[in-house]
Amino acid sequence: MTIAVEIETRIARPTADVFAALTDVERYPEWLIASGIVRVERLDPGPLVAGSRLRIEQTVAGRSTVLEGAVTVLAPGAVFGLRGRDRDGVSIEIDAVVVPDDLATRVRWSVRVGLPLRFRMFESMVAPQARRAAALDLEALRRRLEPAAD
């Protein structure tokens, strides 16, 4: 079973700045707080590209895990995606699409959480938490990137 969340926001920053933050995976713990991301490690040297391997440490709802993952798509200034799976079979897919919106950027953030059969009994609890976490995390990114009001 897959839990799917898709939200959109507008960030008052140029698209290049927003895309740079979305692809700076090692800084995810600074704004993916509600999703419980505590560490992201790049496993391949060089620039981040489609196929780059990642190790993602996550602690959420009292469960700590390590997801082995990879970047699935990286189209500069447009689309970024990654996937990961832990040893229990829980998977996560994140896709971000950025579109210029006047002097700002519109971000569409999609998260899919796949639960293996033995965890599906928790789906009714996980789904609202996933929606809430995605909204809080995207808001944290927006606040991080937008200049403070004078």
Side-chain angles (χ1 to χ4, degrees), residues 78-137:
V79 182
F80 177 69
L82 63 86
R83 308 288 185 267
R85 180 183 221 72
D86 74 7
R87 65 179 180 202
D88 291 326
V90 175
S91 64
I92 187 162
E93 301 175 14
I94 297 173
D95 290 297
V97 176
V98 296
V99 178
D101 185 8
D102 289 326
L103 299 176
T105 302
R106 183 133 324 262
V107 179
R108 187 174 60 232
W109 182 254
S110 302
V111 178
R112 286 172 300 288
V113 179
L115 299 175
L117 183 60
R118 69 179 175 272
F119 290 126
R120 290 193 186 154
M121 71 180 106
F122 300 111
E123 182 181 354
S124 65
M125 292 182 288
V126 173
Q129 279 301 107
R131 281 189 288 281
R132 181 175 182 275
L136 288 170
D137 289 340

Side-chain angles (χ1 to χ4, degrees), residues 26-60:
E26 292 161 316
R27 296 188 78 171
Y28 276 12
E30 296 174 14
W31 60 273
L32 284 174
I33 299 163
S35 294
I37 302 300
V38 294
R39 184 169 185 248
V40 178
E41 178 184 3
R42 293 180 50 190
L43 301 177
D44 299 317
L48 195 66
V49 296
S52 292
R53 295 173 304 132
L54 307 168
R55 182 169 294 126
I56 305 161
E57 295 178 26
Q58 180 183 37
T59 299
V60 65

